[in-house]
Amino acid sequence: MHRTRHLLLRTLSALALLVTGCTDGDAPPDEGSSESSGAPLGLAPVEATMLVHIYYQTPETLERLAAELDLLEHADHAEGYVAALIEPDEYERLVAEGLTVEVQQEPTSILQRMLDAGGFRSIPSYSCYRTVEETVDTMTTLDSNYSGLVELVDIGDSWDKVTAGGPDGYDLQGMVITNEAIAGPKPRFFLMGAIHAREYATAEIVIRFAEQLVEGYGTDPDATWLLDHYELHVLPQANPDGRKIAEQGYTQRKNRNTSAGSCSYPPTSSSQHGIDLNRNHSFEFGGAGTSTTACSINYRGTGANSEPETQALQSYMSSIFADQRGSGSGDPAPDDTTGLMISLHSYGELVLFPWSWSGSAAPNLAQLRTLGRKLGYHNDYAVCQWYGCLYPASGTTDDWAYGELGIAAYTMEMGTTFFQSCASFESTVAPVNLAALTTAFKAARRPYQTPSGPDAVGVAVSASPVTAGASVTLTATADDTRFDSNGWGTEPTQAVAAARYSVDHASWTGAPLTAMAASDGTFNASSEGLTATIDTSGWAPGRYLLLVEARDAAGNWGAPSGVFLDVEAAGGMVEVCGNSLDDDGDT
């Protein structure tokens, strides 16, 4: 019941927000009201794109709908409906087939009014989102301003870039972000956005996450240790050709491949040029949830990995991640697999993990679910398998990354609309998902092990700066309960059993480790206060990074969290070029 109500309320809220981008905080209309109940069966709908609930009786029907229509990331299996954008001719066809199609009157009416008035045809109406060009400019600036942390990387080319006779197209511009002064190899996290062009928020979250880490280096303890010890690889705009169309306010989903079909332009929800890049990957290509009709929203292309964008993605991920899974469909990746990939989508408020092509369990199901529930703790999204909580989809990016390479791979459906208002994006979507992505990055070294362990939170020191030789109290909380599937199962938790800290270097680098004690004297609860006394005698003046991590009773060490400790010379004396200066600058 909790899961059903959770999904239903989110669906209604999302439908009310789909096209307005300006109704943040409005409550969804009551079930059964004139706003939510929609047109009764047989009543002619408005002559425009409609947002509807389609009720289905069998999984086979849902599978067929997923291949034929522009289904949204809302499917309530308990109620037996899926949300979709459809055109009037599709409405008539579905009704003629005997399906119950419930028009969501209010969002459909708003959409029609906006289009009648000229609609929104420019992304400047959404000032919180950068265009393709602005995103590239930001990356260029970061590379210039943080040359020791940022390296630009050309991942590949867009369809227009490799096709003569049309627009110039784009490079798939990415970045590698790490402290280049510290040698690798380092664990890697690949974060990508906007493979579906109309999903504005996704590219912006990718670039903001990169900015947050780079700008926080040296001042934010977690950003600092993560970039010292890990690598972040980002591709904010995975479908730049399609995104330029979507920036005009159109619901363009696919890339801009115009080589097949006589499709609509401007694009509609039922007819648009291009290939759905998230149905074009070579792992389980051509299966359920894809279309062979060129203008369809889910058109998979003429063959597996046919598009330059998917070719670039597969080639790049293969170059940065080792293949760590066997060739058999039931072969799990080893527990110590390293590497993580997340593809950001909108909307739907979901954390999805493989498989999407099949309802069978992925070999690493339990571990994928555990990390997913760590992310769900932060963004309050439903955490579930693609196929089980939505509908089938074959040839997806996350299935390819997990299926071919064995790395932990996820699709995160953020927010409540394609054109998320800046107010709700800034207040909700960005903060909760940036927090989730930080947790994901921390797990990238051992995504199938680390998330099971306790989180170290609230790490603090009793004073900073301190004079060398002073004692400092280090405190934190070890919490083994920070999981939330939001209605899709419960994660087992254990008592905290141990904790430790290291200085400047992570535990797995061979750094000296010092045990911490339970604040109440005994490790016996799933959330424990931690404490340690640090004697700074002999410490040279400077800034130190203290990293705290904890282990649960099942033997799982969680990810570290850090705090800075600044140490000053005794008497305020600082040594400069062999001379000691006091606070007044006198020798």
Side-chain angles (χ1 to χ4, degrees), residues 98-259:
L99 294 173
T100 297
V101 184
E102 188 178 80
V103 180
Q104 303 302 294
Q105 298 272 38
E106 185 62 17
T108 296
S109 297
I110 294 170
L111 174 60
Q112 186 178 20
R113 290 196 301 269
M114 293 185 74
L115 293 177
D116 288 346
F120 45 84
R121 287 287 177 261
S122 174
I123 199 169
S125 298
Y126 297 84
S127 58
C128 57
Y129 304 121
R130 278 164 268 210
T131 64
V132 172
E133 290 78 10
E134 288 169 339
T135 303
V136 173
D137 287 346
T138 296
M139 290 191 282
T140 302
T141 300
L142 290 174
D143 178 55
S144 175
N145 292 345
Y146 300 93
S147 58
L149 296 176
V150 177
E151 180 183 351
L152 297 178
V153 56
D154 182 354
I155 289 174
D157 296 323
S158 71
W159 188 85
D160 274 332
K161 182 75 179 285
V162 301
T163 305
D168 291 339
Y170 297 89
D171 295 325
L172 300 188
Q173 184 66 64
M175 292 186 293
V176 181
I177 303 172
T178 190
N179 181 354
E180 297 172 0
I182 297 178
K186 301 178 181 180
R188 291 165 172 167
F189 174 25
F190 180 56
L191 178 64
M192 56 178 281
I195 195 171
H196 285 157
R198 64 195 180 188
E199 299 169 8
Y200 283 177
T202 64
E204 186 64 25
I205 288 291
V206 174
I207 196 67
R208 288 197 187 195
F209 185 60
E211 287 177 315
Q212 174 179 288
L213 289 164
V214 170
E215 294 169 0
Y217 185 84
T219 58
D220 178 87
D222 283 343
T224 303
W225 80 257
L226 281 166
L227 295 189
D228 279 346
H229 295 291
Y230 288 9
E231 288 179 5
L232 174 66
H233 296 243
V234 298
L235 176 62
Q237 304 279 3
N239 179 11
D241 294 346
R243 173 61 176 253
K244 289 312 296 180
I245 298 172
E247 285 175 7
Q248 301 174 65
Y250 299 117
T251 58
Q252 178 73 21
R253 171 183 170 102
K254 304 188 286 181
N255 76 348
R256 221 190 72 84
N257 187 333
T258 59
S259 63

Side-chain angles (χ1 to χ4, degrees), residues 491-558:
E491 186 69 21
T493 61
Q494 296 83 32
V496 176
R500 63 194 182 191
Y501 74 89
S502 58
V503 181
D504 284 341
H505 301 286
S507 59
W508 55 87
T509 66
L513 303 172
T514 304
M516 299 183 71
S519 299
D520 62 3
T522 306
F523 286 115
N524 58 7
S526 57
S527 180
E528 290 278 4
L530 307 175
T531 186
T533 300
I534 300 175
D535 181 0
T536 63
S537 296
W539 289 33
R543 166 161 283 189
Y544 294 85
L545 178 58
L546 311 179
L547 293 176
V548 175
E549 57 191 349
R551 175 174 60 82
D552 65 22
N556 303 303
W557 283 99

Side-chain angles (χ1 to χ4, degrees), residues 208-489:
R208 288 197 187 195
F209 185 60
E211 287 177 315
Q212 174 179 288
L213 289 164
V214 170
E215 294 169 0
Y217 185 84
T219 58
D220 178 87
D222 283 343
T224 303
W225 80 257
L226 281 166
L227 295 189
D228 279 346
H229 295 291
Y230 288 9
E231 288 179 5
L232 174 66
H233 296 243
V234 298
L235 176 62
Q237 304 279 3
N239 179 11
D241 294 346
R243 173 61 176 253
K244 289 312 296 180
I245 298 172
E247 285 175 7
Q248 301 174 65
Y250 299 117
T251 58
Q252 178 73 21
R253 171 183 170 102
K254 304 188 286 181
N255 76 348
R256 221 190 72 84
N257 187 333
T258 59
S259 63
S262 179
C263 308
S264 296
Y265 195 86
T268 71
S269 62
S270 62
S271 178
Q272 58 183 241
H273 290 292
I275 312 301
D276 183 348
L277 300 176
N278 204 38
R279 303 293 185 273
N280 187 242
H281 287 283
S282 57
F283 186 84
E284 296 294 336
F285 171 81
T290 65
S291 175
T292 58
T293 301
C295 298
S296 168
I297 202 80
N298 296 316
Y299 179 47
R300 66 199 187 200
T302 56
N305 200 27
S306 63
E307 303 309 291
E309 295 91 346
T310 47
Q311 292 167 14
L313 282 171
Q314 292 188 188
S315 176
Y316 187 73
M317 282 190 278
S318 295
S319 73
I320 65 173
F321 296 117
D323 181 357
Q324 298 161 86
R325 199 177 81 86
S327 59
S329 61
D331 293 341
D335 289 344
D336 63 354
T337 290
T338 184
L340 173 66
M341 187 284 296
I342 294 180
S343 178
L344 297 183
H345 288 245
S346 68
Y347 62 99
E349 298 190 316
L350 298 165
V351 177
L352 303 171
F353 49 81
W355 302 118
S356 57
W357 67 274
S358 168
S360 61
N364 294 94
L365 173 64
Q367 297 103 318
L368 290 166
R369 193 164 49 202
T370 295
L371 176 52
R373 290 169 177 173
K374 282 281 193 189
L375 309 182
Y377 173 85
H378 294 284
N379 56 25
D380 196 35
Y381 292 175
V383 180
C384 45
Q385 184 184 350
W386 250 95
Y387 196 101
C389 67
L390 277 178
Y391 40 73
S394 302
T396 62
T397 313
D398 53 355
D399 272 5
W400 182 87
Y402 171 70
E404 291 292 344
L405 303 175
I407 62 174
Y410 296 83
T411 290
M412 277 175 46
E413 295 281 355
M414 304 185 304
T416 53
T417 174
F418 300 134
F419 306 109
Q420 192 83 42
S421 75
C422 287
S424 62
F425 176 80
E426 298 287 7
S427 65
T428 304
V429 176
V432 300
N433 283 294
L434 290 173
L437 291 174
T438 299
T439 292
F441 195 12
K442 287 186 175 186
R445 175 176 167 269
R446 292 285 187 269
Y448 298 145
Q449 294 176 325
T450 301
S452 296
D455 290 333
V457 296
V459 183
V461 289
S462 56
S464 182
V466 297
T467 301
S471 291
V472 177
T473 302
L474 173 65
T475 58
T477 298
D479 193 339
D480 200 52
T481 69
R482 286 159 51 101
F483 304 97
D484 201 341
S485 71
N486 297 292
W488 290 82

Side-chain angles (χ1 to χ4, degrees), residues 55-85:
Y55 289 82
Y56 59 91
Q57 298 296 320
T58 66
E60 290 74 21
T61 299
L62 177 60
E63 183 172 321
R64 178 173 61 83
L65 294 173
E68 295 176 354
L69 300 176
D70 188 0
L71 297 189
L72 307 181
E73 279 67 27
H74 294 283
D76 192 322
H77 297 321
E79 296 294 326
Y81 72 77
V82 63
L85 284 178

